[in-house]
Amino acid sequence: MSVLAAGVPETEIERNAPLIPGLQLEIAHVLFLDLVGYTRLLTNEQHEAQEELKRVVRATDAFRSAEAAGKLICLPTGDGMALVFSTTPDAPVCCALEIDKALRTHPFVRLRMGVHSGPVNGLTDVNHRSNVAGAGINIAQRVMDCGDAGHILLSQRVAEDLAQYRHWQPLLHPLGFCEVKHGEKLSLVSLHGEGVGNPARPARIKAQAESGKNAARPVRSGSWARLLLGALLLGGGLYFFWPAPVPESKNPTPGAPPAPAKSIAVLPFENLSANQETAFFTDGVQDEILSDLAKVADLKVISRTSVLQYKTVRARNLREIGQQLGVANILEGSVQRFGNRIRINAQLIDARTDAHLWAQSYDRELADVFAIQSEIARTIADQLQARISPSEQSAISQPPTTDVVAEKLYVQAREAASAGSNPDGKQALLDAVKLLDEALARDPHFLRAYGLLVTLHLDLYWQGFDHTPARRELAHATLERAAQFAPDSGEVHVMRANYAYQGFRDYATARTQLEIAQKLLPNQAPIAIFLGSIARRQGRWTDAIANFQRGLELDPLNYRFLIETAYTFQNLRQFSSARQMFERALRVQPHDAYARVELAQLDFDERGDTATLQAELSRVLEENPQASTQIANTLFESALAQRDQAGVTRALQAIRPEGLRDAVNNSLWTRDWFVGLAAHSFGDTSAAQKAFTAARVIEQRNVQDQPDYAPAWGRLGLIDAALGNKDAAIQEGRRATDLLPISHDAWDGTAQLLNLAKIYAWVGETGLAFDQLEQLARMPSGLTYGDLKRNPEWNALRSQPRFASILALLAPGTPKP
């Protein structure tokens, strides 16, 4: 662009900007703006967009007042413009906000904007007219270049000026560093709030996070040093709020065989419309094409969660993506909605050679979108020469819904539900339930929505958020509604499996239903993961690992599946394998506090090392104090293991009033339990008795309402043991192990044995306690060396000779069962 001093680093320009006689170097406040997707528009569309942009800009109060005062210079830049204000630092920001609000009613004019204050100088251009140039304009463009449609990005210098005023502060959201031209690093701040700006993290910054380019590098001197120092103080410490999904290394499985010829990944389609409503619609188009292809048994189709890691279109390297996902082919495309019309572009690419195998554009009425999706899926299957059975052909031809609004509600519910995997995810699950109820009210035959709704009800029940027969019955009623119109579908078989598994721990029925579903839905990674979960509860550890690996083959970047696989290895005391899985999970979500802490926990489990865990906990909380609620359980246990009373007190502050869910053993512990255990551990008998008595009221009610719920009986037994109610405690602990024996559940059953061992220890039955511990130490899962060595709950046994011998069974280097 003519206004840029191309090829010269901005820092050099700032130091050496030439002065024209009579025109002095001065600080200007620059708004640089650019039309996104301009080159994709038709010639007449480009002209219309430019004219509309000029009209909107000239109508803003900031533009008119600066122009009237002779304090504004306008520079055309091809597909945008630069507005150079010599008034106040917030003038270009006010102008940007006015433009953004005005363009909300013009969705076809997609704009990104950058603002910077810096030096400019007068010059004479090639036409012998007075003009301006300099670092202030150059850097404003670099700031803008880091954004996507809808973004208003500010340099750190501008953000520092605005931050001095209370009314600007809520709109300033630090992004961290972004590498720009000539390798320089800019510290950026996103300006957004209710109804203005784009809250999404810019694609360029995400892409650089994937490659490790976001770290700050040393700068030379002067104002750039101040700029980057400001980023460390304001932006760097907040970077954790924007966890960027990062694909795995190019060779996630060393020595892996070549990708099958009939393998494909359907990457997220690009939304070429400006509004968020179409973004949900675009997600639905890609998702349905993927789901249709996944019904073809002759194909290997990568699941949705893994392909979502590549939502950033401009950062895609298709060869690398093919290697990372283990596929030979990639489908990508774009969606643009114009009122009641839809335009879909799709192209099939050989990921091994970058060769284009097929491409097609569809420009039709909006109502035809579901037919287009099926047509694309059939065409892709033909291009890959996949065999399609008549039943598969029929399944592809039937869209899950023909209601666009219901589809949008489903996509929103799925996004809300993804947060429900966190230990404090109850509200996210309830929000998703509400959205699905609305979707099904619009389309009572939306099978996929029924499946997700059943899953959510059972998650609320299983995770202990709402472990009541009423919640379980909601799942059953939803399942039966779906079965009325699709009794033989794979989706209904999955629902029945889930209901048997999470509703009644009926693993045999669940396994039978899943084996039927797997034949009907051959590329569904969750089915393989589900089968792995059943296998580990049945103590079939080899089958469990094999199924988890199959699930990860179809969904290699699924964070939750990686975590579940890591948990399996961790519970089996196969710490090296667990470490690899947690590390893979962190390559997908590098800033996830939960996975970071669990990875550090392995050193504690294996060797009783508290230093690694404590250091990581400190780093996580330093970066993000709000993460304390997510990792409260580990904060509490780590502080207790170190006998750190102040740390225990801080951990208690992070536990919510409703209690804390044990993510591994699916059990909701009351907050009073933790208060009592802390007081008991540090000798405050009075406080311990008070807290345990309050916790007992809650658990007594639980066992009355749910007499067959083993975790509630185990918790009640521990509380009674702490209160000195020996006979009741032993009876309750044994009741829990009878309801959930190891023979019925090799995964959660160990938790009840551990509780019973603690009960025996606390009431003085040391021989029985040692019998339980020895049994657990000789099993392939359950008790760990770190827990037995460091946990004060075992203090009553430490002086006994048997304690040392059992600890030796779990010591590092000892052959494990």
Side-chain angles (χ1 to χ4, degrees), residues 489-555:
S489 66
E491 289 84 354
V492 167
H493 285 293
V494 172
M495 292 181 223
R496 293 196 184 282
N498 202 7
Y499 182 64
Y501 179 96
Q502 293 191 319
F504 301 93
R505 295 181 186 270
D506 182 355
Y507 306 130
T509 298
R511 185 179 176 186
T512 299
Q513 290 292 326
L514 287 175
E515 287 171 348
I516 297 171
Q518 197 168 44
K519 296 176 182 177
L520 298 168
L521 303 169
N523 280 289
Q524 288 294 328
I527 294 178
I529 298 295
F530 205 161
L531 285 167
S533 298
I534 292 173
R536 72 184 181 186
R537 291 188 182 278
Q538 293 180 322
R540 297 183 292 108
W541 303 110
T542 301
D543 288 347
I545 296 301
N547 275 293
F548 282 126
Q549 289 174 338
R550 168 60 178 162
L552 289 174
E553 180 184 345
L554 293 171
D555 207 351

Side-chain angles (χ1 to χ4, degrees), residues 24 94 168 174 250 252 257 299 382 499 513 581 592 642 780 807:
Q24 297 299 312
C94 292
W168 286 115
K250 292 184 180 181
L299 293 176
D382 290 342
Y499 182 64
Q513 290 292 326
M581 286 296 151
D592 186 79
Q642 297 177 86
L807 190 62

